[in-house]
Amino acid sequence: MVNENAELKKKTIKTMKGKKVFKDEIATRLSTSESEKIWRDAHERLYRMYDEHQNLSKGVAMHTDGFIFPAAAIYLAMKETDPDMAYDVMKKIMAEKSKKTGQMIAKCCKIPGFKKYFLNMWDSMSHKMFGEASGFKNVFYPKEKESFRMDITQCPYNKYLTEQGCPELNILFCENDVHSYGNLPGLKFSRTKTIGAGDELCDFKMELVKGK
């Protein structure tokens, strides 16, 4: 038990170090003592979440441990001090991080053949990262030459963020996709519904755009 707790503490510290961009943003808005108090609280919350969910499968834990629980812990810790600031910080930082990802992918799209490779990659990647083994339920449509379609009908982000009492963060994770994939040259990402916005499913479509 001692070793297990030590491992969870080590895991928590490592994860929170990787979320330093949130800590830095909080520090620009609050006093040193207030921001440090929030960060300590976030550490404690994340540790408890990890402790309470040690039996999750590897596929589900990939999402909960790296993204869902850290976001919930940081947000809920901030919310104790200022609910409006808490949501604004999460929205700002998550959008900035996703836009950087989008810019990186956009640069790669200029490499000959990358767009087709990226599109084809979605099929195998989605089955692995967003399949039932990772806590999702999906409808995968027949593979097409110049487009990829998938509906998500059950999402662990919605499940665990709701469980932690912050379902409002779900829509921010949905928006991450738009920031990451919504402005890629030669590729069109579209989605008309999201579970995070209260719809019954998330409908994903990525397609090649000829001449771009």
Side-chain angles (χ1 to χ4, degrees):
M1 179 64 74
V2 174
N3 290 336
E4 185 177 67
N5 288 339
E7 284 301 309
L8 284 180
K9 185 176 181 180
K10 183 179 178 181
K11 177 180 175 180
T12 301
I13 292 171
K14 182 178 180 181
T15 300
M16 292 298 287
K17 281 183 178 179
K19 307 298 178 182
K20 185 176 179 293
V21 62
F22 290 97
K23 182 181 182 181
D24 292 342
E25 179 64 25
I26 296 168
T28 68
R29 301 177 183 228
L30 298 173
S31 68
T32 300
S33 60
E34 286 176 315
S35 60
E36 288 181 351
K37 180 177 181 296
I38 286 173
W39 207 244
R40 286 194 302 271
D41 185 18
H43 270 260
E44 292 171 2
R45 288 174 184 272
L46 182 58
Y47 178 88
R48 290 197 297 271
M49 291 177 196
Y50 282 163
D51 189 35
E52 293 166 0
H53 296 85
Q54 294 187 59
N55 296 321
L56 294 178
S57 69
K58 185 177 179 180
V60 175
M62 175 178 64
H63 294 277
T64 56
D65 291 9
F67 303 102
I68 299 171
F69 292 155
I74 294 168
Y75 173 69
L76 291 171
M78 285 192 288
K79 195 174 179 181
E80 289 288 327
T81 299
D82 188 329
D84 291 334
M85 182 201 76
Y87 193 80
D88 186 60
V89 167
M90 300 306 294
K91 184 179 178 70
K92 178 179 184 289
I93 299 302
M94 290 173 71
E96 288 177 352
K97 288 168 68 71
S98 297
K99 286 176 182 177
K100 287 181 180 178
T101 298
Q103 290 168 359
M104 181 177 65
I105 299 172
K107 288 182 180 179
C108 292
C109 285
K110 297 177 182 179
I111 301 172
F114 178 84
K115 290 188 287 292
K116 287 186 178 181
Y117 164 78
F118 186 71
L119 183 65
N120 291 332
M121 182 184 69
W122 268 81
D123 186 65
S124 59
M125 180 186 75
S126 296
H127 279 79
K128 181 178 180 180
M129 293 186 63
F130 306 112
E132 290 195 13
S134 296
F136 294 83
K137 287 189 177 179
N138 324 67
V139 176
F140 289 106
Y141 291 91
K143 192 173 181 180
E144 297 180 10
K145 186 177 180 180
E146 296 186 346
S147 68
F148 167 81
R149 290 178 61 208
M150 167 187 72
D151 292 344
I152 290 178
T153 59
Q154 184 172 301
C155 175
Y157 286 79
N158 183 62
K159 176 182 177 179
Y160 290 105
L161 288 170
T162 299
E163 175 192 282
Q164 295 302 324
C166 50
E168 62 270 27
L169 291 186
N170 199 163
I171 191 64
L172 299 184
F173 280 102
C174 296
E175 289 175 356
N176 282 351
D177 296 328
V178 178
H179 296 312
S180 296
Y181 312 122
N183 193 32
L184 302 180
L187 290 166
K188 180 183 178 183
F189 171 75
S190 56
R191 190 177 56 201
T192 66
K193 302 177 181 179
T194 66
I195 294 172
D199 297 308
E200 74 279 12
L201 56 81
C202 304
D203 56 341
F204 288 81
K205 185 176 183 180
M206 182 77 77
E207 56 192 320
L208 287 172
V209 179
K210 293 182 179 180
K212 291 188 179 181

